[in-house]
């Protein structure tokens, strides 16, 4: 062995990384494509879970039944007969018949005459029997008799309870996945969530429905994150952004499918069964997915990682990795863990509370956390608020919902080009400002033009979707490695308060009709301005310590030659270096 070759061997052997091996067994071959395709199923089911209540607990168009002028309500009862204005007050813009009020009838012994002479228009009575605009449409409003203003809070509470369930699921899914693995967490969440949703469709009372809504959200809404992680951890770094875009598009398409199914199945019980039975049926397919290789490594299960790598190579038609390469990989992983345990003052020697205390000493970092949390709150409130408000726009509510959800696809496809060209900060700031501006424009005279009002909704939804997609990436880049997951979880949990508030917009709208859009617009603009306080992270090395995170404003960008992978190139080259 030559003198010059001797020092080259150890560094090469010591830096055989998982991403290198994933590239050798096939960066995105048939195995990864099939796995990622299967993992789109939980993404679809999560979209159903997160927005199903828009239709199961949707408000309906109805009016008082007038027995003096019509027989008891049935399928053929007209919703707006010619005499209706004489019997029921109208209000709103455009004018609609009052839902729970009618004029007091006058005593009459003559023949039936439905005109203003039959009613005392100066006295308003409440009613308990109703005629619905679409008798075939059934939600919990007519199933559980949640009509009129005094019950409106019960209807809007459904969406808030669902968001509270999602809030609880953040902690629940983390504990389960860290203890039992990503794959088993995915199977548990998809299976239990689907079963609870099906059971909810048989709820006989509002109390049972709301309890099952909370329980289903705890499980059903966690599938997205788990499937997202499993997909990203199976492919090499350069393909992860593409996989993320595919997942975002699949989620938007699933939301549109939800609108189409709700348009077809107008009974909320039938709709729930149609949406969630496929979740149960898909379990055998999802069982064939593999565990996260990175989770297996953190739990010192190198033999399982090696088995998965052999399986990937076989399906992708690649030669099996040399045994010596795999041995060096396992030794390298063990050496890294030993170094972390033995390094004085390293992460292994610092408790989470100590790291948090150190963070509290840095005012700039504390302000960044608060700013980021507010941005998550804004994005969640505006995103879900616009989606929920789409069914209140003029025109067919199902079509409006579909258009609003499909508006997420263009920014999901364009996010990679936009981020690389304009950077994180300008993209985040600009998308929030545009979303807020379009919301505020919808309050002007433009709202009276139906197609223009819907267009402003669509543009605002596109902008906030771009902002939300950017936020996931941006948040991960402005915090240090040893606290990154904790701070992302904290900001995401604050964001859930925004999604809890969004379903309550109908109550605010009852106080002042423009209030929801005013709130969306002003909060989005304010958050967009505050984003300018964030550092730009495009092409900048990710911070590993608190000090590096604080100094992000002055950190250098990565050079094109730098790479996230190790020095390992191929089994053949590695063998040459070792000999």
């Amino acid at each position: 062995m030559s003198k010059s070759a001797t020092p080259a061997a150890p560094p090469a052997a010591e830096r055989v990384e998982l991403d290198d091996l994933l590239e050798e067994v096939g960066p995105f071959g048939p195995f990864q494509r099939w796995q990622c395709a299967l993992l789109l199923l939980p993404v679809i089911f999560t979209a159903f879970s997160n927005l199903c209540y828009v239709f199961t607990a949707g408000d309906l168009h109805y009016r008082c039944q007038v027995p003096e002028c019509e027989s008891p309500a049935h399928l053929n009862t007209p919703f707006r007969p010619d005499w209706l204005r004489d019997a029921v007050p109208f209000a709103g813009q455009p004018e609609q018949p009052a839902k729970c009020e009618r004029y007091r009838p006058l005593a009459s012994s003559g023949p039936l005459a439905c005109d203003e002479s039959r009613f005392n228009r100066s006295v308003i009575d409440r009613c308990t029997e109703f005629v619905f605009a679409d008798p075939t449409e059934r939600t919990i409003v007519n199933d559980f008799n949640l009509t009129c203003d005094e019950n409106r809070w019960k209807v809007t509470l459904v969406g808030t309870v669902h968001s509270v369930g999602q809030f609880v699921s953040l902690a629940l899914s983390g504990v389960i996945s860290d203890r039992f693995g990503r794959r088993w967490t995915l199977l548990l969440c998809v299976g239990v969530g689907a079963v609870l949703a099906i059971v909810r469709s048989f709820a006989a009372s509002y109390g049972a429905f709301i309890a099952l809504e909370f329980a289903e959200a705890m499980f059903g809404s966690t599938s997205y994150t788990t499937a997202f992680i499993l997909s990203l951890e199976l492919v090499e770094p350069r393909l992860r952004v593409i996989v993320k875009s595919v997942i975002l598009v699949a989620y938007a398409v699933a939301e549109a499918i939800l609108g189409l199914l709700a348009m077809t199945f107008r009974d909320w019980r039938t709709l729930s069964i149609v949406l969630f039975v496929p979740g149960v049926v898909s379990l055998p397919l999802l069982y064939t997915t593999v565990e996260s290789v990175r989770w297996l490594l953190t739990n010192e299960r190198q033999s399982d990682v090696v088995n998965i790598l052999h399986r990937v190579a076989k399906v992708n038609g690649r030669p099996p990795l040399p045994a010596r390469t795999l041995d060096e990989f396992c030794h390298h992983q063990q050496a890294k863990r030993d170094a972390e345990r033995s390094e004085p003052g390293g992460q292994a020697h610092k408790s989470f509370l100590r790291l948090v205390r150190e963070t509290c000493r840095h005012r700039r970092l504390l302000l960044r956390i608060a700013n980021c949390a507010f941005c998550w709150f804004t994005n969640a409130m505006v995103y879900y608020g616009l989606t929920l408000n789409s069914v209140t726009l003029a025109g067919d509510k199902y079509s409006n919902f579909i258009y609003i959800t499909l508006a997420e696809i263009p920014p999901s496809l364009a996010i990679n080009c936009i981020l690389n060209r304009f950077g994180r900060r300008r993209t985040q700031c600009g998308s929030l400002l545009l979303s807020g501006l379009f919301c505020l424009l919808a309050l002007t005279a433009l709202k009276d033009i139906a197609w223009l009002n819907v267009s402003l909704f669509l543009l605002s939804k596109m902008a906030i979707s771009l902002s939300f997609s950017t936020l996931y990436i941006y948040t991960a880049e402005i915090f240090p490695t040893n606290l990154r997951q904790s701070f992302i979880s904290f900001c995401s949990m604050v964001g859930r308060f925004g999604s809890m508030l969004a379903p309550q917009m109908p109550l605010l709208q009852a106080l002042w009709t423009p209030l929801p859009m005013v709130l969306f617009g002003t909060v989005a603009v304010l958050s967009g301005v505050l984003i300018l306080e964030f550092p730009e992270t495009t092409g900048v090395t990710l911070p590993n310590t608190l000090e590096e995170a604080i100094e992000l404003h002055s950190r250098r960008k990565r050079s094109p030659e730098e790479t996230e992978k190790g020095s390992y190139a191929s089994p053949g080259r590695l063998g040459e270096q070792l000999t």
Side-chain angles (χ1 to χ4, degrees):
M1 185 179 292
S2 65
K3 186 175 180 179
S4 60
T6 302
E14 290 175 0
R15 295 195 63 197
V16 180
E17 299 288 355
L18 178 61
D19 289 329
D20 299 310
L21 299 185
L22 287 175
E23 185 173 7
E24 282 301 317
V25 298
F28 198 63
F31 184 90
Q32 288 95 332
R33 289 197 294 269
W34 174 243
Q35 292 287 307
C36 290
L38 287 180
L39 291 171
L40 289 179
L41 293 174
V43 173
I44 293 171
F45 301 146
T46 304
F48 293 166
S49 171
N50 285 349
L51 290 172
C52 179
Y53 69 86
V54 174
F55 300 104
T56 60
D59 201 4
L60 300 173
H61 290 298
Y62 55 90
R63 63 166 175 86
C64 288
Q65 196 241 332
V66 185
E68 294 81 10
C69 299
E70 59 189 346
S71 57
H74 56 79
L75 291 178
N76 296 323
T77 302
F79 183 67
R80 297 185 67 164
D82 295 337
W83 48 262
L84 189 60
R85 287 184 177 274
D86 297 323
V88 174
F90 276 60
Q93 198 58 245
E95 284 192 326
Q96 295 291 335
K99 289 187 172 182
C100 301
E101 295 176 340
R102 53 162 297 182
Y103 297 128
R104 178 171 294 179
L106 298 174
S108 175
S109 57
L112 184 66
C114 290
D115 54 33
E116 59 182 350
S117 64
R118 186 66 185 271
F119 302 95
N120 183 353
R121 295 170 62 88
S122 62
V123 181
I124 302 294
D125 287 340
R126 303 280 291 177
C127 59
T128 56
E129 299 295 331
F130 307 95
V131 174
F132 290 86
D134 183 0
T136 64
E137 187 177 16
R138 298 199 66 82
T139 71
I140 64 171
V141 170
N142 44 8
D143 250 15
F144 301 142
N145 195 26
L146 303 179
T147 53
C148 303
D149 290 342
E150 61 267 22
N151 289 312
R152 180 177 291 186
W153 68 271
K154 293 183 180 180
V155 179
T156 60
L157 183 64
V158 174
T160 299
V161 166
H162 188 93
S163 295
V164 173
Q166 290 178 313
F167 183 89
V168 175
S169 74
L170 288 173
L172 181 66
S173 62
V175 172
I176 296 175
S177 63
D178 288 343
R179 177 67 179 85
F180 300 103
R182 316 285 192 244
R183 177 171 168 267
W184 284 109
T185 302
L186 183 70
L187 293 171
L188 175 69
C189 291
V190 171
V192 175
V195 169
L196 288 171
I198 294 171
V199 173
R200 184 184 59 201
S201 68
F202 295 97
S205 66
Y206 174 77
F209 176 90
I210 208 75
L212 288 166
E213 184 74 30
F214 173 80
E216 187 272 327
M218 280 203 307
F219 291 94
S221 59
T222 62
S223 304
Y224 179 93
T225 304
T226 310
F228 184 80
I229 293 173
L230 278 171
S231 298
L232 294 190
E233 292 185 342
L234 194 61
V235 300
E236 62 174 333
R238 66 184 180 86
L239 294 172
R240 289 174 188 163
V241 178
I242 298 176
V243 171
K244 181 178 184 295
S245 292
V246 172
I247 291 175
L248 291 173
V249 171
Y251 189 88
V253 171
E255 291 176 320
I257 292 173
L258 168 61
L260 287 172
L261 291 175
M263 184 187 299
T264 305
F265 302 97
R266 301 296 182 100
D267 189 315
W268 73 273
R269 298 181 187 273
T270 305
L271 176 64
S272 294
I273 294 173
V274 170
L275 289 175
F276 295 103
V277 164
V280 178
V281 176
S282 70
L283 289 178
L285 275 175
L286 293 174
Y287 185 79
T288 64
T289 57
V290 295
E291 181 55 87
S292 164
V293 288
R294 300 181 191 278
W295 180 85
L296 292 171
L297 281 179
T298 60
N299 286 270
E300 303 186 17
R301 291 170 57 178
Q302 289 92 333
S303 61
D304 291 329
V305 174
V306 171
N307 290 336
I308 291 175
L309 290 174
H310 281 314
R311 182 177 167 188
V312 176
K314 181 178 179 180
V315 175
N316 288 347
R318 294 293 187 95
L321 293 171
R324 187 165 185 177
T325 300
L326 294 172
D327 288 341
E328 293 298 341
F329 167 71
C330 294
H331 292 157
H332 174 46
Q333 297 301 320
Q334 186 63 47
K336 286 201 300 185
R337 281 191 296 274
D338 293 341
E340 288 175 356
R341 295 189 185 102
S342 61
E343 182 182 357
Q347 183 176 354
H349 294 268
K350 287 186 178 181
S351 67
F352 173 76
L353 291 178
R354 180 178 173 184
L355 289 169
V356 171
R357 283 197 298 270
E358 290 183 5
T359 303
C360 294
R361 299 192 188 105
H362 301 284
R363 179 173 175 271
R364 170 174 284 185
L365 200 55
L366 283 176
L367 292 175
R368 186 181 302 171
I369 295 169
N371 194 358
C372 187
F374 178 68
C375 189
W376 274 85
F377 171 86
T378 300
N379 276 268
M381 182 183 68
V382 178
Y383 177 90
Y384 286 105
L386 290 175
T387 303
L388 299 179
N389 274 18
S390 65
V391 298
T392 66
L393 294 174
D396 181 64
K397 67 177 182 180
Y398 301 101
S399 299
N400 290 338
F401 180 85
I402 293 170
Y403 296 149
I404 288 293
T405 54
L406 289 178
E408 299 175 31
I409 294 180
S412 298
L413 294 174
I415 182 174
N416 305 321
C417 298
I418 294 175
L419 285 179
N420 290 333
R421 181 170 182 178
F422 298 103
R424 273 57 161 166
R425 181 169 57 184
R426 281 193 287 182
T427 301
Q428 190 80 73
C429 172
S431 56
L432 281 169
L433 290 177
L434 284 175
S435 181
L437 177 63
F438 291 136
C439 286
L440 295 176
L441 283 175
L443 298 173
T444 65
L446 299 177
K447 71 177 185 299
D448 298 328
I449 307 174
W451 69 269
L452 195 52
N453 191 28
V454 173
S455 298
L456 289 172
F457 252 76
L458 291 173
L459 291 171
S460 184
K461 183 63 181 298
M462 290 176 65
I464 199 64
S465 297
L466 176 61
S467 174
F468 222 156
S469 300
T470 304
L471 187 59
Y472 276 95
I473 300 172
Y474 206 1
T475 306
E477 295 177 342
I478 60 177
F479 294 126
T481 299
N482 50 6
L483 285 171
R484 184 170 294 129
Q485 185 61 46
S486 299
F487 286 160
I488 290 175
S489 296
F490 170 76
C491 293
S492 179
M493 291 176 73
V494 173
R496 292 298 174 192
F497 288 104
S499 60
M500 291 178 198
L501 180 61
Q504 300 303 319
M505 289 302 136
L507 296 184
L508 298 181
Q509 196 170 26
L511 297 176
W512 184 42
T513 302
L515 185 55
M517 297 302 286
V518 170
L519 185 62
F520 296 156
T522 53
V523 172
V525 169
L526 175 61
S527 184
V529 173
L530 292 176
I531 287 298
L532 295 175
E533 290 298 316
F534 280 173
E536 178 56 68
T537 59
T538 304
V540 175
T541 306
L542 292 180
N544 290 318
T545 65
L546 290 172
E547 290 73 19
E548 291 177 353
I550 295 169
E551 297 170 0
L552 268 177
H553 287 280
S554 59
R555 294 192 67 185
R556 69 179 182 89
K557 293 186 177 182
R558 289 191 293 266
S559 66
E561 291 78 15
E562 289 179 317
T563 177
E564 296 179 3
K565 299 192 291 184
S567 59
Y568 171 77
S570 70
R573 182 180 176 186
L574 178 60
E576 292 172 2
Q577 291 175 332
L578 289 173
T579 56

